[in-house]
């Protein structure tokens, strides 16, 4: 009888492990020396329509869209319901990275201490090649509003603003494990010198 119980428990655990593995999103490395950063992106994310990798880059995935032929505005509520990762790069060669970091940290902290904060969960983030912190928008009352996590990073004489968003707050929870991996993977790499 004990052997049957042990076999049942092992079978149950294998089934749960298989179900969890099926929901796991695979990540792929993206890096650009033109803008000096790298991160892991979900394999099902593509560059936003009519865009390329530049100082402002966005990758998107629209739930329910098999991505055949690119994005479709007609499926599952249009692009506003898409999950996205955006990175904005700005050149700041004449300002100390520590000054930029401290001023922006204080700005988010001041917002969190205000009577009507927009942000929560401010945390320092260890990254290679610079300094960073990440924070989250407060939870939305309206489940159809966009929800974001944000990363602010300095290094390479540059500022990086990274936005991880879900087109609707009600769908954000399903992206949390993936977005946590993306946040942890962000790092700065040497910035290629211009010609």
């Amino acid at each position: 009888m004990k052997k049957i119980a042990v076999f049942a428990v092992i079978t149950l655990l294998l089934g749960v492990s298989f179900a969890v593995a099926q929901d796991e999103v695979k990540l792929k490395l993206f890096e650009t020396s033109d803008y000096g950063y790298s991160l892991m992106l979900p394999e099902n994310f593509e560059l936003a329509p009519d865009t390329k990798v530049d100082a402002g880059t966005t990758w998107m995935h629209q739930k329910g869209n098999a991505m055949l032929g690119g994005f479709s505005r007609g499926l599952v509520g249009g692009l506003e319901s898409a999950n996205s990762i955006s990175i904005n790069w700005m050149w700041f060669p004449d300002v100390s990275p520590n000054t930029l970091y401290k001023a922006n940290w204080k700005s988010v902290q001041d917002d969190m201490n205000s009577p009507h904060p927009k942000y929560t969960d401010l945390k320092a983030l260890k990254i290679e090649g610079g300094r960073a912190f990440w924070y989250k928008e407060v939870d939305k009352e309206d489940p159809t509003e966009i929800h974001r996590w944000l990363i602010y990073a300095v290094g390479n004489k540059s500022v990086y603003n990274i936005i991880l968003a879900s087109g609707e707050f009600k769908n954000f929870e399903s992206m949390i494990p993936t977005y946590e991996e993306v946040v942890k993977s962000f790092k700065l790499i040497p910035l290629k010198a211009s010609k």
Side-chain angles (χ1 to χ4, degrees):
M1 193 66 162
K2 286 183 181 181
K3 287 181 183 180
I4 293 173
V6 170
F7 179 74
V9 168
I10 290 172
T11 303
L12 178 64
L13 289 174
L14 287 174
V16 168
S17 298
F18 181 71
V20 169
Q22 281 184 319
D23 289 341
E24 189 176 304
V25 174
K26 292 184 180 180
L27 300 174
K28 61 184 176 187
L29 177 66
F30 172 82
E31 63 182 18
T32 172
S33 59
D34 287 338
Y35 298 99
Y37 67 88
S38 73
L39 76 163
M40 301 299 288
L41 291 171
E43 281 187 337
N44 57 355
F45 277 50
E46 294 182 354
L47 279 173
D50 304 319
T51 64
K52 61 181 183 174
V53 175
D54 60 17
T57 304
T58 298
W59 296 269
M60 301 175 82
H61 172 69
Q62 186 174 8
K63 281 190 169 190
N65 183 357
M67 306 300 275
L68 300 174
F71 291 92
S72 168
R73 293 187 184 276
L75 294 174
V76 193
L79 288 179
E80 63 275 3
S81 67
N83 296 319
S84 64
I85 299 171
S86 299
I87 300 183
N88 294 300
W89 169 86
M90 293 162 283
W91 182 242
F92 271 87
D94 298 327
V95 183
S96 156
N98 283 336
T99 299
L100 290 167
Y101 181 89
K102 288 176 184 176
N104 283 278
W105 174 281
K106 183 177 182 327
S107 176
V108 174
Q109 204 167 43
D110 288 348
D111 171 83
M112 289 172 51
N113 294 328
S114 76
H116 304 284
K118 295 180 289 198
Y119 305 117
T120 187
D121 293 336
L122 175 62
K123 297 176 185 169
L125 180 64
K126 289 187 178 189
I127 63 167
E128 291 183 34
R131 295 186 72 189
F133 60 83
W134 69 300
Y135 54 108
K136 303 170 184 176
E137 285 187 330
V138 295
D139 290 349
K140 307 295 170 102
E141 291 180 25
D142 179 353
T144 64
E145 282 190 53
I146 293 174
H147 188 65
R148 300 168 189 89
W149 284 1
L150 305 110
I151 302 172
Y152 179 85
V154 293
N156 288 334
K157 297 183 180 179
S158 304
V159 169
Y160 301 83
N161 288 298
I162 300 95
I163 303 168
L164 302 98
S166 186
E168 295 184 332
F169 178 56
K170 65 184 177 184
N171 296 327
F172 196 86
E173 188 173 353
S174 67
M175 290 303 297
I176 289 175
T178 301
Y179 280 169
E180 285 175 341
E181 291 302 314
V182 172
V183 168
K184 287 188 252 178
S185 74
F186 181 79
K187 67 179 180 179
L188 299 181
I189 62 174
L191 191 60
K192 184 171 77 176
S194 61
K195 297 175 185 176

